[in-house]
């Protein structure tokens, strides 16, 4: 199954149809093995392949299936698997948010970003040990993220909320006021941004 997963990932750019076939075979095998993290990885790779095939609907379904699988596991992942699970879940959300930013409106993308933040928090709590893991597992499911309408309604007059989401190839920015929202996608190199932030912090410390 791991070989099929690797093959499907490599073939995505050159032969996406062959990639899809390999990934679907891998999915079947990982389901038999109950390989939870591998299932999420494979479904994410399958979604990316469907994107390459310009199957927007299929990609959306595949991403959502993977997210539902990941969220259902939070609080029950063995300690030994938490790190790979956390890494894969974060990558899954980043890939889906990048996809959704081109397909959905600003409000829905914002909600997905907040949902990703909550998933990361719950996974982090689980990693701290049994007591916090139990607390994380008893939180409501599915997770409910705040939407922009609720955020706008809660903002006092004269207050502006600016939220960012950094993706591998762009920065998403929401500027929210009580009366409206401005959403922008900015092409950016994350490494260059990190260097700029580090320089700014150094200047502040001095």
């Amino acid at each position: 199954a791991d070989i099929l997963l690797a093959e499907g990932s490599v073939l995505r750019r050159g032969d996406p149809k062959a990639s899809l076939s390999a990934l679907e075979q891998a999915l079947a095998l990982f389901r038999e093995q109950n390989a939870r993290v591998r299932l999420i990885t494979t479904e994410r790779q399958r979604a990316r392949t469907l994107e390459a095939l310009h199957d927007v609907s299929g990609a959306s379904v595949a991403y959502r299936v993977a997210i539902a699988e990941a969220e259902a596991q939070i609080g029950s992942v063995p300690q030994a698997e938490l790190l790979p699970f956390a890494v894969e879940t974060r990558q899954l959300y980043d890939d889906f948010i990048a996809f959704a930013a081109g397909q959905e409106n600003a409000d829905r993308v914002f909600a997905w970003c907040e949902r990703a933040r909550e998933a990361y928090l719950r996974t982090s709590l689980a990693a701290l040990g049994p007591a916090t893991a139990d607390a994380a597992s008893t939180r409501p499911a599915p997770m409910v993220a705040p939407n922009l309408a609720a955020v706008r309604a809660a903002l006092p007059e004269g207050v502006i909320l600016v939220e960012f989401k950094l993706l591998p190839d762009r920065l998403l920015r929401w500027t929210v006021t009580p009366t409206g929202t401005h959403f922008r996608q900015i092409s950016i190199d994350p490494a260059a941004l990190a260097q700029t932030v580090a320089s700014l912090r150094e200047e502040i410390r001095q």
Side-chain angles (χ1 to χ4, degrees):
D2 283 324
I3 293 173
L4 287 166
L5 171 57
E7 180 182 326
S9 302
V10 170
L11 287 172
R12 182 172 57 251
R13 290 187 178 180
D15 191 348
K17 289 184 178 180
S19 167
L20 189 61
S21 175
L23 291 170
E24 288 176 345
Q25 292 176 65
L27 273 174
L29 293 171
F30 285 134
R31 286 194 184 101
E32 290 178 5
Q33 300 168 12
N34 194 29
R36 297 186 290 186
V37 176
R38 283 288 192 269
L39 274 170
I40 297 169
T41 302
T42 308
E43 196 66 63
R44 177 174 66 83
Q45 293 292 350
R46 181 172 174 272
R48 295 186 65 193
T49 296
L50 288 165
E51 278 192 78
L53 289 167
H54 307 292
D55 184 351
V56 173
S57 176
S60 179
V61 170
Y63 276 125
R64 291 166 193 268
V65 166
I67 287 171
E69 177 69 26
E71 291 179 352
Q73 292 183 31
I74 295 175
S76 64
V77 178
Q79 288 286 321
E81 297 179 19
L82 272 173
L83 180 57
F85 175 80
V87 170
E88 180 55 39
T89 301
R90 173 169 280 192
Q91 185 62 60
L92 167 63
Y93 272 110
D94 280 356
D95 285 354
F96 177 65
I97 289 166
F99 166 78
Q103 308 296 329
E104 302 187 9
N105 63 41
D107 286 38
R108 290 181 63 83
V109 178
F110 179 89
W112 280 112
C113 287
E114 291 302 309
R115 188 161 164 174
R117 194 193 310 276
E118 182 177 352
Y120 180 72
L121 175 60
R122 291 175 64 180
T123 303
S124 299
L125 287 173
L128 293 176
T132 50
D134 290 343
S137 65
T138 58
R139 296 185 66 177
M143 294 181 289
V144 178
N147 57 57
L148 279 175
V151 172
R152 282 193 296 268
L155 285 177
E157 186 177 352
V159 172
I160 298 175
L161 169 70
V162 181
E163 178 156 323
F164 300 95
K165 171 63 179 176
L166 181 62
L167 297 172
D169 62 342
R170 76 195 95 154
L171 181 71
L172 307 183
R173 186 189 72 191
W174 291 264
T175 305
V176 187
T177 70
T179 57
T181 301
H182 178 69
F183 176 60
R184 187 179 176 192
Q185 302 188 47
I186 306 165
S187 296
I188 197 167
D189 175 8
L193 178 61
Q195 182 59 47
T196 300
V197 171
S199 297
L200 179 60
R201 285 176 175 168
E202 184 61 30
E203 289 179 13
I204 293 172
R205 280 196 294 266
Q206 294 175 356

